[in-house]
Amino acid sequence: MNATTDRPIDRWFTSYSGDHRNETNQLIHVVCVPAILWSVVALLWCLPVPTGLFVPGTWAALAMFAAWMFYYRASRPLGFGMLATFVLMGFLTRWLYDNLGQIGLLRVAIAVFIVAWIGQFIGHKIEGKKPSFLTDLTYLLIGPAWVLAKLYRKLGWRY
């Protein structure tokens, strides 16, 4: 193996990048992947929890923690970046929940989810390749880390 594919995360990114070479598709992903990630967090936030045992957002917090563990094991720098991302998404989601209520948050999350997925499929139509997650669902987790890794490279940070 060479230096660029020694770690599993590098192999995931190499494979994922192969389906995302078109600049327009990449730009669409930079916008839509975080939007989809947030919308999933928000949708999970809206799931009911047993009264008195848990607080709103418990399911979202558990999912974010599980995803964060995946990212942290793959790359500590990316893990810390995704932790910051999840914390910001959690604060945003809590603020929207407090200001819009559960139904308002649910409506916004559904709208963002639908529009962002439409964007993703338009990007893949432009690219001429099917979305990576259709071959392996793990790519649903790789996409957000891939976008963050693009930011890290732009800033000159190692991941």
Side-chain angles (χ1 to χ4, degrees):
M1 284 191 202
N2 62 41
T4 62
T5 58
D6 285 344
R7 301 177 304 168
I9 193 69
D10 296 315
R11 290 191 296 273
W12 283 110
F13 286 166
T14 298
S15 177
Y16 193 85
S17 294
D19 293 334
H20 303 86
R21 297 197 185 280
N22 180 280
E23 287 185 31
T24 302
N25 188 29
Q26 288 182 27
L27 180 60
I28 289 169
H29 276 62
V30 166
V31 173
C32 291
V33 166
I36 291 168
L37 180 61
W38 173 79
S39 69
V40 169
V41 168
L43 290 168
L44 290 170
W45 199 285
C46 292
L47 289 178
V49 293
T51 307
L53 295 176
F54 300 102
V55 296
T58 297
W59 303 121
L62 290 171
M64 287 187 286
F65 181 75
W68 172 77
M69 287 179 21
F70 172 83
Y71 296 126
Y72 185 77
R73 287 182 51 214
S75 161
R76 285 187 181 173
L78 283 175
F80 288 124
M82 289 305 298
L83 177 61
T85 299
F86 286 137
V87 167
L88 290 172
M89 286 183 175
F91 281 132
L92 171 64
T93 306
R94 177 58 193 246
W95 182 82
L96 288 169
Y97 180 85
D98 289 344
N99 287 282
L100 301 176
Q102 183 176 8
I103 298 301
L105 176 60
L106 182 62
R107 287 178 179 154
V108 171
I110 290 170
V112 169
F113 186 85
I114 291 169
V115 169
W117 273 111
I118 289 169
Q120 290 285 86
F121 284 107
I122 290 170
H124 279 284
K125 179 73 172 164
I126 293 167
E127 180 83 41
K129 293 192 176 200
K130 65 181 181 177
S132 299
F133 77 88
L134 293 176
T135 58
D136 187 335
L137 290 177
T138 305
Y139 285 110
L140 291 171
L141 286 171
I142 297 301
W146 182 80
V147 170
L148 184 60
K150 285 179 75 65
L151 174 63
Y152 277 28
R153 286 190 298 277
K154 188 170 235 152
L155 296 172
W157 297 355
R158 296 179 59 129
Y159 65 85

